[in-house]
Amino acid sequence: MSTSQPDASSRSSGDRCTPDDVLHARTGTDVSPEDVVLAAGRDITPRNLEWAKRKIETEGPAALDKLLP
């Protein structure tokens, strides 16, 4: 009994991976510096909050999306 995967050429178009930029969904809420710090896996410290504020100012709400898997 073979457990190999089917050849990529035989897959239907519905089997393709979804691009990352389509997977992220906004909740309609503002992105806070705390959100960005936590998404980056950092501790909430004054220095990290300043980093996050600058990142939000530069990248906008996408700053959070870029950090999420």
Side-chain angles (χ1 to χ4, degrees):
M1 173 180 223
S2 175
T3 59
S4 65
Q5 296 294 322
D7 182 17
S9 63
S10 67
R11 292 182 186 176
S12 69
S13 61
D15 289 338
R16 288 192 264 161
C17 295
T18 304
D20 283 346
D21 62 336
V22 177
L23 293 175
H24 298 294
R26 302 275 311 141
T27 61
T29 60
D30 291 330
V31 174
S32 71
E34 290 85 358
D35 293 335
V36 173
V37 169
L38 293 174
R42 300 180 178 191
D43 292 328
I44 296 179
T45 64
R47 183 176 180 178
N48 287 340
L49 289 172
E50 285 302 316
W51 165 81
K53 287 177 188 176
R54 289 190 307 274
K55 190 165 180 65
I56 292 169
E57 288 172 5
T58 304
E59 301 175 17
L64 183 61
D65 292 336
K66 291 178 182 179
L67 293 170
L68 297 175

